[in-house]
Amino acid sequence: MASHLGRYEILEELGRGSMGVVYRANDPLIGRQVAIKTVNLHDLAPEKRKEYETRFHQEAKAAGSLNHPNIVTIYDLGRSGDEVFIAMELLEGRQLHDDTTEFPRLPPAEALEIAAQVADGLAYAHRGGIVHRDIKPSNIMLVGEHLAKIADFGIAQISAPLISTRTGMIIGSPLYMSPEQILSSGTDARSDIFSLGIVLYQMLTGQRPFSGNDAHSVMYKIVNEEPPSLGSHHGNFPPALEAIVSRCLAKKPQDRYQDAGELANDLRACRNQLLGIPATTGYSALMGAQLKRMASPGAVPPWLLAAAFVSIGLIFMFDLSTGDATQMHLLYIFPLVLISYHCRQVKLVYAAVGLALVLQGVILIGFSTLSPFSRALLALLAMPSNVLIAYIARVARANFLAIDHLAPYDDLTGLYNRTLFESLTELEVSRQQRSHGAFSLAVVTIANLAEVRRTNGPQAVDGAVRLLAKILREHIRHSDIAARIAEDKFAIMMPDTGAAGCDLFCRQIAVKIKTLMRKAAVPAIVRIGHVTPDQAPASAAELFDRADGTMHDTRDNAGKDAAAR
């Protein structure tokens, strides 16, 4: 065993695989222990070796940009002789499983929590355009009691040229491949979701959904056969869990979850359902849990939505049965709120509102004994209220889903996260398209984050990110919205701000950033770009691109500001 790889001092061997060896090592630069994963290149021809090494560096850099609590962090990459290596976070934990021996069943709630954390990590990586391609139990690490981390991000894609050169095999682990991986028809984020579905099935049942005597028979079943239901393994699994697993394991990518974040939300909702109402719960607790559950959009059963439609007709009949058919208009609000808040199909919401309006119109025109003036006044008050209440319930549904399905704030900085910020920006774009309102968007980027991580470690990176977030928080106005939209990128939306005001703000904050970064001894180079669109842009993405196109260093900004003074 070599004593060193690059600057790293090898302490012990942790494991071996088909591609190379994993070591525990010490980084003498900052006194930290790391895991070193090596890949041996000595079997490759010189031209293939150079091609592979270039690809290795590209993919490892991409994987190294991932900074998420459910993804193993990559610190460094290098070469020593015929071995290229990656230095990554050393975890004091264990693999979920070794992929080979019998898999013990996990309690459903525990399996769902592990799968949800893995889905969180995948969602983060997929948003950055990085697909794992080799999700399997041995690439899922469990740290402590509750934390799951995905290992080897990007390694499967990195290893593709090397493995095909050596063996001509398909890249990935055959037992956990998606159909499109097996058929070599192109892979994307949905392939990772299929593989995670296999892992989840295995955690719940102790068996893989596709079994066979060899890899070829397993791959045939993955492509051509449906897996046995969870219930066939004598487990007591709720229908919602059956539906989640079935959707993950759909043969066609378009039939699966399209986003790992959506999968994570469903997994946690199912877990909460399993844990929320024990079998011995009393009547009062059961009612409280049901009322709490009804606060979640779409949580009511279909029969209750059908009953809401029927109740609209019953209110009409009850109104007719009274002596003066003008008293029941407010009662329509209750079924309309229920339908608007819980119904998935907006066409049904339109139908319910239309039905209520028609029936109320029939009452006012044909059966009311009020004067024409009173009828008109009641129509002006009662009928629009139905439309308004349905709209408010629909908006509440959208906001609930956005807040419930997203962590709205970035953990490290306390600022809005990218998804929520993009939603807010899209709303501002829509406002400008309607009313020609003016606003500006500034983008702030730490240009040398990878270099800071490599030379000073992840603590320096976190320090630079926190400091920049602090500066932004202290210098935005109350009407401004700041967010962290990537590991190294921040954005500020400034409604009702002209181009001159935005430019002045950016020049002032550039000076502040440069000054505070120097005082904190953080070797970060920060760039700022901004845009104030004259016409409504097509989307928030277009705004980001235009702001990125105006990037310049804060050092240049500071120089201009000093010259102006």
Side-chain angles (χ1 to χ4, degrees):
M1 182 177 71
S3 61
H4 285 79
L5 280 173
R7 73 168 187 266
Y8 299 97
E9 178 188 357
I10 302 300
L11 302 177
E12 63 174 318
E13 181 179 316
L14 297 177
R16 287 180 175 267
S18 59
M19 301 301 300
V21 186
V22 181
Y23 299 103
R24 179 195 297 268
N26 180 58
D27 183 352
L29 190 63
I30 57 177
R32 173 182 58 193
Q33 289 195 1
V34 299
I36 302 286
K37 180 181 282 286
T38 67
V39 180
N40 201 318
L41 304 179
H42 76 273
D43 289 342
L44 297 178
E47 63 277 5
K48 286 290 183 182
R49 182 182 304 178
K50 184 176 181 180
E51 175 189 346
Y52 173 74
E53 189 172 359
T54 300
R55 181 184 175 115
F56 178 91
H57 279 77
Q58 291 172 346
E59 299 296 342
K61 285 180 179 179
S65 68
L66 299 176
N67 183 15
H68 190 273
N70 298 119
I71 297 176
V72 176
T73 303
I74 291 179
Y75 297 138
D76 192 12
L77 58 110
R79 177 172 179 172
S80 179
D82 285 337
E83 288 183 317
V84 290
F85 63 85
I86 295 177
M88 61 185 69
E89 178 183 5
L90 179 65
L91 300 177
E92 299 298 337
R94 60 182 177 85
Q95 294 175 336
L96 175 60
H97 202 58
D98 61 6
D99 304 335
T100 57
T101 58
E102 184 177 350
F103 200 120
R105 285 189 184 187
L106 296 179
E110 181 181 346
L112 287 168
E113 179 56 29
I114 292 172
Q117 291 189 42
V118 174
D120 284 337
L122 290 175
Y124 175 83
H126 294 164
R127 287 195 295 269
I130 301 176
V131 182
H132 192 287
R133 292 179 175 83
D134 196 22
I135 293 294
K136 57 185 179 181
S138 63
N139 278 338
I140 299 172
M141 304 296 296
L142 300 181
V143 183
E145 294 295 327
H146 306 291
L147 182 61
K149 284 180 172 277
I150 309 170
D152 283 4
F153 238 109
I155 300 300
Q157 185 171 355
I158 294 169
S159 306
L162 185 58
I163 293 181
S164 43
T165 300
R166 287 181 174 178
T167 64
M169 292 176 59
I170 302 173
I171 302 308
S173 302
L175 301 179
Y176 298 90
M177 282 183 177
S178 65
E180 58 270 24
Q181 279 179 288
I182 294 171
L183 298 174
S184 300
S185 58
T187 59
D188 57 22
R190 296 168 295 183
S191 294
D192 285 346
I193 290 174
F194 187 94
S195 300
L196 179 54
I198 295 179
V199 175
L200 175 59
Y201 187 105
Q202 194 173 7
M203 287 191 290
L204 293 168
T205 66
Q207 300 178 31
R208 298 185 190 92
F210 308 100
S211 58
N213 296 326
D214 52 47
H216 293 289
S217 62
V218 172
M219 289 191 289
Y220 176 84
K221 290 183 178 181
I222 289 174
V223 174
N224 298 288
E225 296 183 8
E226 295 298 326
S229 67
L230 293 177
S232 65
H233 295 278
H234 308 291
N236 185 19
F237 302 108
L241 184 50
E242 291 269 11
I244 290 172
V245 173
S246 177
R247 188 176 174 188
C248 288
L249 297 179
K251 303 297 183 188
K252 297 179 180 178
Q254 60 267 30
D255 294 333
R256 295 176 209 145
Y257 284 94
Q258 302 300 292
D259 179 75
E262 181 187 0
L263 170 59
N265 294 331
D266 283 358
L267 289 168
R268 288 200 169 92
C270 188
R271 178 180 181 272
N272 292 340
Q273 182 182 3
L274 285 172
L275 297 177
I277 309 176
T280 58
T281 302
Y283 177 77
S284 60
L286 177 62
M287 289 301 296
Q290 289 294 339
L291 289 174
K292 183 178 179 181
R293 181 173 178 267
M294 286 183 67
S296 300
V300 302
W303 65 263
L304 189 55
L305 288 177
F309 275 95
V310 172
S311 68
I312 294 176
L314 293 177
I315 293 170
F316 173 73
M317 298 301 294
F318 186 55
D319 208 356
L320 287 179
S321 69
T322 61
D324 187 1
T326 57
Q327 307 300 315
M328 306 299 169
H329 294 284
L330 289 178
L331 292 181
Y332 288 95
I333 289 176
F334 297 101
L336 290 180
V337 168
L338 186 67
I339 293 168
S340 301
Y341 189 72
H342 288 285
C343 189
R344 294 178 182 273
Q345 299 182 35
V346 71
K347 291 181 179 179
L348 294 180
V349 177
Y350 293 155
V353 174
L355 177 61
L357 291 176
V358 168
L359 294 181
Q360 291 179 83
V362 169
I363 291 290
L364 287 174
I365 294 172
F367 297 94
S368 177
T369 59
L370 294 175
S371 66
F373 175 78
S374 297
R375 293 185 198 183
L377 182 61
L378 187 59
L380 288 175
L381 293 175
M383 291 187 178
S385 68
N386 293 337
V387 177
L388 181 61
I389 198 68
Y391 174 77
I392 292 173
R394 206 67 189 172
V395 171
R397 171 190 171 89
N399 288 331
F400 186 100
L401 291 173
I403 294 171
D404 187 54
H405 287 190
L406 296 172
Y409 297 100
D410 178 77
D411 290 338
L412 185 64
T413 66
L415 299 176
Y416 284 120
N417 68 13
R418 181 188 180 97
T419 309
L420 194 56
F421 182 79
E422 286 182 344
S423 300
L424 295 171
T425 307
E426 293 288 359
L427 289 175
E428 188 63 32
V429 169
S430 299
R431 182 181 75 86
Q432 189 183 21
Q433 290 171 341
R434 291 194 308 270
S435 60
H436 306 291
F439 71 99
S440 301
L441 182 80
V443 176
V444 186
T445 298
I446 302 178
N448 63 331
L449 200 68
E451 180 183 345
V452 173
R453 175 182 288 110
R454 184 170 59 254
T455 57
N456 296 79
Q459 292 86 356
V461 169
D462 288 351
V465 168
R466 285 196 185 97
L467 178 57
L468 183 52
K470 180 175 181 291
I471 297 169
L472 296 183
R473 282 197 304 270
E474 291 176 351
H475 289 80
I476 61 174
R477 299 183 298 269
H478 292 298
S479 58
D480 294 342
I481 300 169
R484 187 186 186 191
I485 59 175
E487 184 192 18
D488 59 345
K489 184 176 293 186
F490 297 78
I492 307 170
M493 184 173 65
M494 293 174 275
D496 304 313
T497 301
C502 180
D503 183 66
L504 177 62
F505 170 82
C506 289
R507 290 193 295 117
Q508 290 173 341
I509 203 171
V511 174
K512 193 71 172 180
I513 290 171
K514 179 186 177 184
T515 302
L516 292 183
M517 287 285 181
R518 187 193 308 119
K519 286 183 178 178
V522 176
I525 299 173
V526 179
R527 296 194 175 110
I528 298 180
H530 61 87
V531 61
T532 302
D534 298 324
Q535 297 180 341
S539 65
E542 178 186 324
L543 274 177
F544 290 155
D545 291 342
R546 289 171 62 181
D548 282 339
T550 66
M551 282 284 181
H552 47 267
D553 288 1
T554 58
R555 294 171 297 183
D556 299 334
N557 237 359
K560 292 178 183 178
D561 190 73
R565 289 181 294 178

